[in-house]
Amino acid sequence: MADMKLILRADVENLGRLGDVVKVRPGYGRNYLLPQGLAMLATDSNLKVFEQERRKLQAKMDALRSDANAVADRIAAVALSITMRVGENDKLYGSVTTSMIAAELAKQGIEVDRHRILLDAAIRTLGEFDVRIRLHADVNATLKLKVVPEERYHEEDVAAEPVAEAVSEQEAEQPAE
């Protein structure tokens, strides 16, 4: 089948930038790029229309890029900590997921789609990790993530704490001689 020529109306990852004329497979163009508004057919009339539209689209893309840069700066300033249950040898029960990271970021007031969080490998151990987040085709942020163990409470420790507090309160009530 012959490839389809399209004009990109936005930056598309691994394909091209706004205004590029690209050749793609017909299915990709028809089923994804055209319905999403990311491209238009590369005809003479569409080229003329696109040139008139280019300034508006470029301004929109620049606004998205600047918003992504602002979010990247906020992410770089955050040190995120996720508490996980651990078993023998500090091995995690399960692994840290992109959903967990996105939820923790949301608690910090930073909304990021979990699909934009890129984990090279599953996080299954305690420690500190650098997590990449792709916010825009040109903007990546690096998040400092620390995975810490969940606090373990032993029954003896929990039972001993109130008794120790009660003893210190009684000592405080007695007048000093």
Side-chain angles (χ1 to χ4, degrees), residues 86 90-92 94-96 122-129 147-148:
V86 293
D90 288 339
K91 188 173 170 99
L92 300 184
S95 61
V96 177
I123 298 175
R124 291 194 171 108
T125 58
L126 298 175
E128 294 184 15
F129 302 91
V147 181
V148 295

Side-chain angles (χ1 to χ4, degrees), residues 19-177:
D20 289 351
V21 176
V22 295
K23 287 184 178 182
V24 297
R25 294 290 176 135
Y28 181 51
R30 233 184 2 263
N31 298 326
Y32 179 71
L33 295 172
L34 292 174
Q36 295 288 324
L38 298 173
M40 56 199 294
L41 289 172
T43 62
D44 291 336
S45 62
N46 278 349
L47 283 169
K48 291 175 188 169
V49 169
F50 178 77
E51 285 307 317
Q52 294 171 350
E53 228 179 69
R54 180 189 284 273
R55 277 186 233 92
K56 286 192 286 186
L57 291 172
Q58 188 64 48
K60 183 178 172 185
M61 292 302 294
D62 290 343
L64 288 173
R65 190 175 296 116
S66 68
D67 289 347
N69 280 324
V71 172
D73 292 341
R74 288 179 57 202
I75 288 173
V78 169
L80 203 63
S81 180
I82 292 182
T83 305
M84 295 289 292
R85 288 185 51 208
V86 293
E88 298 284 320
N89 301 326
D90 288 339
K91 188 173 170 99
L92 300 184
Y93 287 120
S95 61
V96 177
T97 63
T98 56
S99 298
M100 294 169 138
I101 296 170
E104 288 296 318
L105 279 171
K107 288 179 186 175
Q108 300 287 330
I110 303 170
E111 294 294 327
V112 175
D113 181 19
R114 70 180 180 88
H115 294 101
R116 298 203 166 272
I117 299 171
L118 309 172
L119 294 177
D120 296 329
I123 298 175
R124 291 194 171 108
T125 58
L126 298 175
E128 294 184 15
F129 302 91
D130 288 337
V131 178
R132 290 181 312 129
I133 302 174
R134 168 160 282 133
L135 298 169
H136 185 272
D138 298 335
V139 181
N140 287 326
T142 302
L143 172 69
K144 298 287 184 194
L145 176 67
K146 187 173 186 179
V147 181
V148 295
E150 187 176 78
E151 292 295 322
R152 294 185 190 130
Y153 292 107
H154 297 300
E155 290 177 19
E156 303 94 33
D157 295 343
V158 174
E161 285 177 19
V163 172
E165 289 175 14
V167 170
S168 63
E169 287 175 12
Q170 288 174 356
E171 290 172 2
E173 290 175 6
Q174 293 177 355
E177 294 178 16

